[in-house]
Amino acid sequence: DTAVSQTPKYLVTQMGNDKSIKCEQNLGHDTMYWYKQDSKKFLKIMFSYNNKELIINETVPNRFSPKSPDKAHLNLHINSLELGDSAVYFCASSLGPGKQETQYFGPGTRLLVL
Amino acid sequence: AQKVTQAQTEISVVEKEDVTLDCVYETRDTTYYLFWYKQPPSGELVFLIRRNSFDEQNEISGRYSWNFQKSTSSFNFTITASQVVDSAVYFCALSERNTGRRALTFGSGTRLQVQP
């Protein structure tokens, strides 16, 4: 039944480590997104993929690398984690350009870097 | 560039009161979409409504209603007879069609506290 799922839900790690967050959607959508929500609840786009092709790449440190093995999955790999990376990361999906524009969000991954 | 402003940082009401959450947007695109999302204390983002720029009809869904006014670039959200379960952070968001920027630009959110 889950539409957009993310794993893990919580991630606590040390500075300098490398970690990945996985996202999967079973809605048949073409476009997937990663958003970051900071401690003040502000939400900002990081990346977007349409049919496995990167279409949005905001000003994000290159320690963050998205990967889309197929259009149902969009993973986020983070190298050399820093304290400032602590945030909630949301994955979302939508039908895609020219189609119904509503984005549906996963439950979020709460990342804490110590 | 696109921008969404939610000037009310926090609103506190007593149950059964009506409350309106304000949203003002800026965009140069002629076709755009406006959204409201709810983030309850559990943290997920729940889609509430999408409004297309070419459809200025207001909408009512149960206790929720939305007032879209292009002339003032506003898309306000009213909860009638608020309930404790309405306590959450509410986000207004915008995406643009013609510029190809389909990522959502969010407002800073309004935290609504409904007291029993």
Side-chain angles (χ1 to χ4, degrees), chain A residues 36-85:
Chain A
K36 179 180 179 181
Q37 185 173 43
D38 64 21
S39 57
K40 294 182 180 169
K41 295 279 192 182
F42 190 67
L43 280 151
K44 192 167 160 46
I45 183 69
M46 298 174 72
F47 301 104
S48 175
Y49 271 74
N50 184 56
N51 268 324
K52 303 195 296 172
E53 183 185 338
L54 181 66
I55 54 172
I56 294 177
N57 184 354
E58 289 291 291
T59 310
V60 175
N62 57 17
R63 299 181 294 103
F64 290 79
S65 51
K67 278 196 173 51
S68 182
D70 55 61
K71 72 175 193 177
H73 295 85
L74 179 61
N75 303 325
L76 183 65
H77 187 75
I78 316 170
N79 287 328
S80 303
L81 278 154
E82 300 178 357
L83 294 176
D85 297 331

Short mmCIF file of all heavy atoms in Angstrom, two decimals, chain A residues 36-85:
data_model
loop_
_atom_site.label_atom_id
_atom_site.label_comp_id
_atom_site.label_asym_id
_atom_site.label_seq_id
_atom_site.Cartn_x
_atom_site.Cartn_y
_atom_site.Cartn_z
N LYS A 36 15.35 18.73 1.21
CA LYS A 36 15.96 18.79 2.53
C LYS A 36 15.15 19.74 3.41
O LYS A 36 14.82 20.84 2.98
CB LYS A 36 17.41 19.29 2.42
CG LYS A 36 18.13 19.42 3.76
CD LYS A 36 19.55 19.92 3.55
CE LYS A 36 20.28 20.08 4.86
NZ LYS A 36 21.67 20.59 4.68
N GLN A 37 14.83 19.27 4.62
CA GLN A 37 14.14 20.14 5.58
C GLN A 37 15.09 20.40 6.74
O GLN A 37 15.48 19.49 7.45
CB GLN A 37 12.85 19.51 6.09
CG GLN A 37 12.05 20.45 7.00
CD GLN A 37 10.70 19.91 7.38
OE1 GLN A 37 10.55 18.73 7.71
NE2 GLN A 37 9.68 20.76 7.36
N ASP A 38 15.44 21.68 6.93
CA ASP A 38 16.40 22.00 7.97
C ASP A 38 15.72 22.13 9.34
O ASP A 38 14.51 21.89 9.48
CB ASP A 38 17.17 23.27 7.61
CG ASP A 38 16.30 24.51 7.52
OD1 ASP A 38 15.19 24.53 8.10
OD2 ASP A 38 16.70 25.47 6.85
N SER A 39 16.50 22.51 10.32
CA SER A 39 16.00 22.54 11.71
C SER A 39 14.92 23.59 11.91
O SER A 39 14.15 23.52 12.86
CB SER A 39 17.16 22.79 12.68
OG SER A 39 17.81 23.99 12.34
N LYS A 40 14.85 24.56 11.01
CA LYS A 40 13.79 25.57 11.09
C LYS A 40 12.60 25.20 10.23
O LYS A 40 11.71 26.02 10.02
CB LYS A 40 14.33 26.94 10.66
CG LYS A 40 15.38 27.47 11.62
CD LYS A 40 15.87 28.84 11.23
CE LYS A 40 16.91 29.32 12.23
NZ LYS A 40 17.62 30.52 11.80
N LYS A 41 12.57 23.98 9.77
CA LYS A 41 11.45 23.42 8.99
C LYS A 41 11.42 23.92 7.55
O LYS A 41 10.45 23.65 6.84
CB LYS A 41 10.09 23.75 9.64
CG LYS A 41 9.88 23.10 10.98
CD LYS A 41 9.45 21.68 10.79
CE LYS A 41 8.95 21.07 12.08
NZ LYS A 41 8.57 19.67 11.90
N PHE A 42 12.44 24.63 7.12
CA PHE A 42 12.43 25.13 5.76
C PHE A 42 12.74 23.99 4.79
O PHE A 42 13.72 23.27 4.97
CB PHE A 42 13.43 26.26 5.59
CG PHE A 42 13.30 26.96 4.28
CD1 PHE A 42 12.17 27.71 3.99
CD2 PHE A 42 14.28 26.87 3.32
CE1 PHE A 42 12.03 28.34 2.76
CE2 PHE A 42 14.15 27.49 2.09
CZ PHE A 42 13.03 28.23 1.81
N LEU A 43 11.92 23.86 3.75
CA LEU A 43 12.04 22.79 2.76
C LEU A 43 12.63 23.32 1.47
O LEU A 43 12.14 24.30 0.91
CB LEU A 43 10.66 22.20 2.45
CG LEU A 43 10.12 21.22 3.46
CD1 LEU A 43 8.60 21.25 3.49
CD2 LEU A 43 10.61 19.81 3.12
N LYS A 44 13.65 22.61 0.96
CA LYS A 44 14.31 23.09 -0.26
C LYS A 44 14.63 21.91 -1.16
O LYS A 44 15.09 20.86 -0.70
CB LYS A 44 15.59 23.82 0.13
CG LYS A 44 16.22 24.62 -0.99
CD LYS A 44 17.28 25.53 -0.44
CE LYS A 44 18.28 26.01 -1.46
NZ LYS A 44 17.84 26.49 -2.72
N ILE A 45 14.42 22.10 -2.45
CA ILE A 45 14.72 21.07 -3.44
C ILE A 45 16.22 20.84 -3.52
O ILE A 45 17.02 21.79 -3.43
CB ILE A 45 14.15 21.44 -4.82
CG1 ILE A 45 14.39 20.33 -5.85
CG2 ILE A 45 14.72 22.76 -5.32
CD1 ILE A 45 13.58 19.08 -5.61
N MET A 46 16.60 19.58 -3.67
CA MET A 46 18.01 19.27 -3.90
C MET A 46 18.19 18.76 -5.34
O MET A 46 18.99 19.27 -6.10
CB MET A 46 18.48 18.20 -2.91
CG MET A 46 18.39 18.61 -1.47
SD MET A 46 18.79 17.24 -0.38
CE MET A 46 20.57 17.10 -0.65
N PHE A 47 17.46 17.70 -5.66
CA PHE A 47 17.61 17.05 -6.97
C PHE A 47 16.24 16.61 -7.48
O PHE A 47 15.32 16.38 -6.71
CB PHE A 47 18.47 15.79 -6.86
CG PHE A 47 19.85 16.01 -6.33
CD1 PHE A 47 20.16 15.66 -5.03
CD2 PHE A 47 20.85 16.54 -7.14
CE1 PHE A 47 21.43 15.85 -4.52
CE2 PHE A 47 22.12 16.74 -6.65
CZ PHE A 47 22.42 16.39 -5.33
N SER A 48 16.20 16.46 -8.83
CA SER A 48 15.03 15.84 -9.42
C SER A 48 15.46 15.00 -10.62
O SER A 48 16.35 15.39 -11.38
CB SER A 48 14.03 16.91 -9.87
OG SER A 48 12.95 16.30 -10.54
N TYR A 49 14.82 13.84 -10.75
CA TYR A 49 15.08 12.94 -11.88
C TYR A 49 13.76 12.69 -12.60
O TYR A 49 12.73 12.50 -11.97
CB TYR A 49 15.60 11.59 -11.38
CG TYR A 49 17.10 11.52 -11.23
CD1 TYR A 49 17.74 12.17 -10.19
CD2 TYR A 49 17.87 10.80 -12.15
CE1 TYR A 49 19.11 12.11 -10.06
CE2 TYR A 49 19.25 10.74 -12.01
CZ TYR A 49 19.86 11.40 -10.96
OH TYR A 49 21.23 11.33 -10.83
N ASN A 50 13.84 12.67 -13.93
CA ASN A 50 12.69 12.27 -14.72
C ASN A 50 13.11 11.09 -15.59
O ASN A 50 14.04 11.21 -16.40
CB ASN A 50 12.20 13.41 -15.61
CG ASN A 50 10.95 13.04 -16.37
OD1 ASN A 50 9.93 12.65 -15.77
ND2 ASN A 50 11.00 13.12 -17.68
N ASN A 51 12.46 9.95 -15.39
CA ASN A 51 12.83 8.74 -16.14
C ASN A 51 14.33 8.47 -16.10
O ASN A 51 14.96 8.26 -17.13
CB ASN A 51 12.38 8.85 -17.59
CG ASN A 51 11.01 8.27 -17.78
OD1 ASN A 51 10.63 7.28 -17.15
ND2 ASN A 51 10.25 8.88 -18.65
N LYS A 52 14.88 8.51 -14.91
CA LYS A 52 16.29 8.21 -14.64
C LYS A 52 17.25 9.31 -15.09
O LYS A 52 18.46 9.15 -14.97
CB LYS A 52 16.72 6.88 -15.26
CG LYS A 52 15.90 5.68 -14.82
CD LYS A 52 16.59 4.37 -15.17
CE LYS A 52 16.74 4.18 -16.66
NZ LYS A 52 17.56 3.01 -17.01
N GLU A 53 16.72 10.41 -15.63
CA GLU A 53 17.61 11.48 -16.08
C GLU A 53 17.56 12.65 -15.11
O GLU A 53 16.48 13.11 -14.75
CB GLU A 53 17.16 11.94 -17.47
CG GLU A 53 18.06 13.00 -18.08
CD GLU A 53 17.50 13.50 -19.40
OE1 GLU A 53 16.70 12.77 -20.03
OE2 GLU A 53 17.84 14.62 -19.80
N LEU A 54 18.72 13.15 -14.72
CA LEU A 54 18.80 14.28 -13.80
C LEU A 54 18.28 15.53 -14.48
O LEU A 54 18.78 15.92 -15.53
CB LEU A 54 20.25 14.48 -13.35
CG LEU A 54 20.51 15.61 -12.36
CD1 LEU A 54 19.86 15.31 -11.02
CD2 LEU A 54 22.01 15.83 -12.20
N ILE A 55 17.26 16.19 -13.89
CA ILE A 55 16.73 17.41 -14.49
C ILE A 55 16.87 18.63 -13.59
O ILE A 55 16.81 19.75 -14.05
CB ILE A 55 15.26 17.25 -14.92
CG1 ILE A 55 14.37 16.77 -13.77
CG2 ILE A 55 15.15 16.30 -16.10
CD1 ILE A 55 12.88 16.78 -14.11
N ILE A 56 17.03 18.41 -12.31
CA ILE A 56 17.28 19.53 -11.40
C ILE A 56 18.45 19.15 -10.50
O ILE A 56 18.46 18.07 -9.92
CB ILE A 56 16.06 19.87 -10.51
CG1 ILE A 56 14.91 20.41 -11.36
CG2 ILE A 56 16.44 20.90 -9.44
CD1 ILE A 56 13.66 20.69 -10.56
N ASN A 57 19.40 20.05 -10.42
CA ASN A 57 20.53 19.85 -9.53
C ASN A 57 20.81 21.20 -8.90
O ASN A 57 21.47 22.04 -9.48
CB ASN A 57 21.73 19.34 -10.32
CG ASN A 57 22.90 19.01 -9.43
OD1 ASN A 57 22.88 19.27 -8.22
ND2 ASN A 57 23.94 18.45 -10.00
N GLU A 58 20.22 21.44 -7.72
CA GLU A 58 20.36 22.73 -7.08
C GLU A 58 21.78 22.87 -6.53
O GLU A 58 22.61 21.96 -6.64
CB GLU A 58 19.34 22.86 -5.94
CG GLU A 58 17.92 23.00 -6.45
CD GLU A 58 17.66 24.31 -7.15
OE1 GLU A 58 17.65 25.37 -6.49
OE2 GLU A 58 17.45 24.29 -8.37
N THR A 59 22.02 24.01 -5.94
CA THR A 59 23.36 24.26 -5.40
C THR A 59 23.56 23.41 -4.16
O THR A 59 23.25 23.81 -3.04
CB THR A 59 23.51 25.76 -5.04
OG1 THR A 59 23.10 26.54 -6.15
CG2 THR A 59 24.96 26.07 -4.71
N VAL A 60 24.02 22.22 -4.39
CA VAL A 60 24.20 21.24 -3.32
C VAL A 60 25.67 20.81 -3.39
O VAL A 60 26.20 20.61 -4.48
CB VAL A 60 23.27 20.03 -3.55
CG1 VAL A 60 23.53 18.95 -2.54
CG2 VAL A 60 21.82 20.47 -3.50
N PRO A 61 26.33 20.67 -2.23
CA PRO A 61 27.73 20.23 -2.27
C PRO A 61 27.86 18.92 -3.04
O PRO A 61 26.96 18.05 -2.98
CB PRO A 61 28.06 20.03 -0.77
CG PRO A 61 27.09 20.88 -0.04
CD PRO A 61 25.85 20.93 -0.86
N ASN A 62 28.96 18.75 -3.74
CA ASN A 62 29.11 17.53 -4.55
C ASN A 62 29.38 16.30 -3.70
O ASN A 62 29.60 15.21 -4.23
CB ASN A 62 30.13 17.70 -5.67
CG ASN A 62 31.48 18.10 -5.13
OD1 ASN A 62 31.76 17.97 -3.94
ND2 ASN A 62 32.33 18.60 -6.00
N ARG A 63 29.35 16.46 -2.38
CA ARG A 63 29.37 15.28 -1.50
C ARG A 63 28.05 14.52 -1.59
O ARG A 63 27.95 13.37 -1.18
CB ARG A 63 29.60 15.70 -0.04
CG ARG A 63 30.92 16.41 0.22
CD ARG A 63 31.09 16.77 1.68
NE ARG A 63 30.12 17.75 2.14
CZ ARG A 63 29.05 17.48 2.86
NH1 ARG A 63 28.80 16.22 3.24
NH2 ARG A 63 28.22 18.44 3.25
N PHE A 64 27.03 15.19 -2.11
CA PHE A 64 25.71 14.57 -2.27
C PHE A 64 25.60 14.07 -3.70
O PHE A 64 25.75 14.85 -4.65
CB PHE A 64 24.59 15.59 -2.02
CG PHE A 64 24.46 16.01 -0.59
CD1 PHE A 64 25.32 16.94 -0.03
CD2 PHE A 64 23.46 15.46 0.22
CE1 PHE A 64 25.20 17.31 1.31
CE2 PHE A 64 23.33 15.84 1.55
CZ PHE A 64 24.20 16.77 2.09
N SER A 65 25.32 12.79 -3.86
CA SER A 65 25.18 12.27 -5.21
C SER A 65 23.93 11.39 -5.30
O SER A 65 23.81 10.38 -4.61
CB SER A 65 26.42 11.48 -5.65
OG SER A 65 26.75 10.51 -4.68
N PRO A 66 22.98 11.82 -6.12
CA PRO A 66 21.78 11.02 -6.33
C PRO A 66 22.06 9.94 -7.38
O PRO A 66 22.91 10.11 -8.25
CB PRO A 66 20.78 12.04 -6.87
CG PRO A 66 21.62 13.04 -7.57
CD PRO A 66 22.97 13.06 -6.91
N LYS A 67 21.29 8.84 -7.26
CA LYS A 67 21.40 7.79 -8.28
C LYS A 67 20.02 7.21 -8.51
O LYS A 67 19.34 6.87 -7.55
CB LYS A 67 22.37 6.70 -7.83
CG LYS A 67 23.84 7.04 -8.06
CD LYS A 67 24.73 5.83 -7.98
CE LYS A 67 26.16 6.15 -8.38
NZ LYS A 67 26.72 7.32 -7.69
N SER A 68 19.67 7.06 -9.76
CA SER A 68 18.36 6.52 -10.10
C SER A 68 18.55 5.28 -10.96
O SER A 68 18.69 5.39 -12.19
CB SER A 68 17.52 7.57 -10.83
OG SER A 68 16.23 7.08 -11.12
N PRO A 69 18.52 4.09 -10.36
CA PRO A 69 18.72 2.87 -11.14
C PRO A 69 17.56 2.57 -12.08
O PRO A 69 17.76 1.94 -13.13
CB PRO A 69 18.86 1.79 -10.06
CG PRO A 69 18.23 2.36 -8.84
CD PRO A 69 18.38 3.84 -8.93
N ASP A 70 16.38 3.00 -11.71
CA ASP A 70 15.20 2.89 -12.58
C ASP A 70 14.21 3.95 -12.12
O ASP A 70 14.44 4.60 -11.10
CB ASP A 70 14.57 1.49 -12.53
CG ASP A 70 14.22 1.06 -11.12
OD1 ASP A 70 13.40 1.75 -10.48
OD2 ASP A 70 14.80 0.07 -10.64
N LYS A 71 13.12 4.12 -12.85
CA LYS A 71 12.29 5.28 -12.54
C LYS A 71 11.49 5.13 -11.25
O LYS A 71 10.88 6.08 -10.78
CB LYS A 71 11.38 5.63 -13.72
CG LYS A 71 10.25 4.69 -13.98
CD LYS A 71 9.38 5.25 -15.09
CE LYS A 71 8.07 4.49 -15.15
NZ LYS A 71 7.16 5.04 -16.18
N ALA A 72 11.53 3.96 -10.64
CA ALA A 72 10.83 3.77 -9.37
C ALA A 72 11.73 4.00 -8.16
O ALA A 72 11.27 3.97 -7.03
CB ALA A 72 10.23 2.36 -9.31
N HIS A 73 13.02 4.21 -8.40
CA HIS A 73 13.96 4.34 -7.31
C HIS A 73 14.84 5.57 -7.48
O HIS A 73 15.31 5.86 -8.59
CB HIS A 73 14.87 3.10 -7.23
CG HIS A 73 14.15 1.85 -6.89
ND1 HIS A 73 13.52 1.07 -7.84
CD2 HIS A 73 13.93 1.24 -5.69
CE1 HIS A 73 12.95 0.03 -7.26
NE2 HIS A 73 13.18 0.11 -5.96
N LEU A 74 15.05 6.26 -6.37
CA LEU A 74 16.00 7.38 -6.37
C LEU A 74 16.71 7.36 -5.03
O LEU A 74 16.10 7.58 -4.00
CB LEU A 74 15.28 8.72 -6.57
CG LEU A 74 16.20 9.95 -6.57
CD1 LEU A 74 17.22 9.87 -7.72
CD2 LEU A 74 15.39 11.24 -6.69
N ASN A 75 18.01 7.08 -5.09
CA ASN A 75 18.79 6.98 -3.86
C ASN A 75 19.66 8.22 -3.71
O ASN A 75 19.98 8.90 -4.69
CB ASN A 75 19.65 5.71 -3.90
CG ASN A 75 18.79 4.47 -4.10
OD1 ASN A 75 17.67 4.39 -3.60
ND2 ASN A 75 19.30 3.50 -4.85
N LEU A 76 20.03 8.48 -2.47
CA LEU A 76 20.88 9.64 -2.17
C LEU A 76 22.08 9.17 -1.37
O LEU A 76 21.92 8.60 -0.29
CB LEU A 76 20.08 10.68 -1.37
CG LEU A 76 20.81 12.00 -1.06
CD1 LEU A 76 21.11 12.76 -2.34
CD2 LEU A 76 19.96 12.85 -0.11
N HIS A 77 23.26 9.38 -1.94
CA HIS A 77 24.48 8.99 -1.25
C HIS A 77 25.18 10.26 -0.78
O HIS A 77 25.28 11.24 -1.53
CB HIS A 77 25.40 8.19 -2.18
CG HIS A 77 26.58 7.63 -1.48
ND1 HIS A 77 26.48 6.54 -0.64
CD2 HIS A 77 27.87 8.04 -1.44
CE1 HIS A 77 27.67 6.28 -0.13
NE2 HIS A 77 28.53 7.16 -0.60
N ILE A 78 25.64 10.24 0.46
CA ILE A 78 26.31 11.42 1.02
C ILE A 78 27.69 10.99 1.51
O ILE A 78 27.81 10.09 2.36
CB ILE A 78 25.53 12.03 2.20
CG1 ILE A 78 24.02 12.11 1.89
CG2 ILE A 78 26.07 13.43 2.52
CD1 ILE A 78 23.15 12.47 3.07
N ASN A 79 28.71 11.64 0.98
CA ASN A 79 30.10 11.36 1.39
C ASN A 79 30.54 12.33 2.46
O ASN A 79 30.07 13.47 2.52
CB ASN A 79 31.04 11.52 0.19
CG ASN A 79 30.89 10.39 -0.80
OD1 ASN A 79 30.60 9.26 -0.44
ND2 ASN A 79 31.09 10.71 -2.07
N SER A 80 31.47 11.89 3.27
CA SER A 80 32.13 12.78 4.24
C SER A 80 31.12 13.66 4.98
O SER A 80 31.18 14.90 4.91
CB SER A 80 33.14 13.68 3.52
OG SER A 80 34.07 12.89 2.81
N LEU A 81 30.24 13.04 5.68
CA LEU A 81 29.16 13.76 6.35
C LEU A 81 29.68 14.83 7.28
O LEU A 81 30.69 14.66 7.98
CB LEU A 81 28.28 12.78 7.11
CG LEU A 81 27.23 12.09 6.23
CD1 LEU A 81 26.83 10.76 6.79
CD2 LEU A 81 26.04 13.01 6.06
N GLU A 82 28.96 15.97 7.28
CA GLU A 82 29.30 17.10 8.14
C GLU A 82 28.14 17.37 9.10
O GLU A 82 27.01 16.97 8.84
CB GLU A 82 29.58 18.34 7.29
CG GLU A 82 30.73 18.16 6.31
CD GLU A 82 30.95 19.38 5.43
OE1 GLU A 82 30.18 20.37 5.54
OE2 GLU A 82 31.92 19.35 4.64
N LEU A 83 28.45 18.11 10.16
CA LEU A 83 27.42 18.42 11.15
C LEU A 83 26.22 19.12 10.50
O LEU A 83 25.06 18.85 10.83
CB LEU A 83 27.99 19.32 12.25
CG LEU A 83 29.06 18.72 13.15
CD1 LEU A 83 29.59 19.76 14.13
CD2 LEU A 83 28.52 17.51 13.91
N GLY A 84 26.50 19.99 9.54
CA GLY A 84 25.45 20.75 8.88
C GLY A 84 24.54 19.93 7.99
O GLY A 84 23.53 20.43 7.50
N ASP A 85 24.90 18.67 7.78
CA ASP A 85 24.03 17.80 6.97
C ASP A 85 22.87 17.26 7.78
O ASP A 85 21.96 16.65 7.22
CB ASP A 85 24.84 16.62 6.40
CG ASP A 85 25.95 17.08 5.46
OD1 ASP A 85 25.80 18.15 4.83
OD2 ASP A 85 26.97 16.38 5.38
#
